[in-house]
């Protein structure tokens, strides 16, 4: 778990299937996503999404005067329903507890109990050993 892989909008790119080169349905992607920060613009989840264009002015969405904006709430809703994770919660956690605590929490939450590698949030599957987390 790395700070560089925590996206502006609260997604931990490390646990996104796109990061290791899969789609949300488990197929191989043509292009592997390298994470929000290194890519900066082309994150599939954030397309045209920040109306304030604050993207290059702030480090995380909680620093924005609009936080949590409608677009973020929409995305957050989708992820809460589908994947049981909340970007808004992540952002509030970072704001209130700091990044290093957040990374520790993520590590606890997303490590495979079988092989100790990262579980991807999009389908709760460990791509290293195949374990499905319920
Ligand atoms: Zn595993």
């Amino acid at each position: 778990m790395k700070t560089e892989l925590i996206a502006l909008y609260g997604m931990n790119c490390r646990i996104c299937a796109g990061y290791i080169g899969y789609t949300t349905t488990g197929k191989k992607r043509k292009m592997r996503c390298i994470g929000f920060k290194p890519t900066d613009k082309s994150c599939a989840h954030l397309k045209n999404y920040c109306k304030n264009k604050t993207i290059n002015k702030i480090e995380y969405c909680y620093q924005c005067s609009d936080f949590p904006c409608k677009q973020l709430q929409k995305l957050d809703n989708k992820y809460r329903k589908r994947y049981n994770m909340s970007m808004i919660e992540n952002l509030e956690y970072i704001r209130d507890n700091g990044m290093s605590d957040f990374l520790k929490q993520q590590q606890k939450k997303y490590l495979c109990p079988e092989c100790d590698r990262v579980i991807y949030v999009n389908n709760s599957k460990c791509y290293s050993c195949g374990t499905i987390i319920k």
Side-chain angles (χ1 to χ4, degrees):
M1 302 292 167
K2 289 189 216 153
T3 310
E4 301 90 81
L5 288 175
I6 307 304
L8 167 117
Y9 60 103
M11 179 73 199
N12 180 357
C13 296
R14 190 69 184 79
I15 61 165
C16 175
Y19 180 74
I20 49 149
Y22 289 89
T23 67
T24 50
T25 53
K27 286 188 193 132
K28 277 244 180 214
R29 283 165 63 117
K30 276 183 202 137
M31 291 277 288
R32 177 178 164 262
C33 178
I34 56 164
F36 178 80
K37 273 189 189 161
T39 329
D40 229 25
K41 285 178 192 72
S42 61
C43 177
H45 306 295
L46 201 79
K47 247 183 230 162
N48 305 321
Y49 131 98
C50 182
K51 280 190 179 148
N52 281 343
K53 306 271 181 242
T54 41
I55 283 183
N56 295 316
K57 295 176 205 146
I58 56 169
E59 206 176 354
Y60 298 104
C61 286
Y62 68 77
Q63 295 161 329
C64 178
S65 55
D66 261 2
F67 174 77
C69 67
K70 269 194 186 138
Q71 291 93 324
L72 183 62
Q73 285 177 32
K74 235 169 101 181
L75 196 72
D76 186 78
N77 233 325
K78 195 176 110 184
Y79 267 71
R80 260 190 293 132
K81 277 191 200 136
R82 281 201 204 156
Y83 311 124
N84 198 24
M85 71 152 276
S86 160
M87 283 111 175
I88 294 175
E89 254 172 44
N90 283 355
L91 287 162
E92 285 170 347
Y93 193 98
I94 297 166
R95 185 191 61 197
D96 300 341
N97 303 284
M99 184 52 85
S100 75
D101 261 32
F102 175 71
L103 294 176
K104 274 182 213 148
Q105 179 236 50
Q106 292 288 293
Q107 196 145 354
K108 267 190 213 139
K109 235 170 155 175
Y110 295 109
L111 279 191
C112 173
E114 298 297 325
C115 73
D116 251 21
R117 291 188 140 143
V118 178
I119 292 156
Y120 296 94
V121 70
N122 305 69
N123 57 6
S124 305
K125 180 185 168 190
C126 173
Y127 281 95
S128 305
C129 72
T131 301
I132 308 276
I133 307 329
K134 298 241 161 71

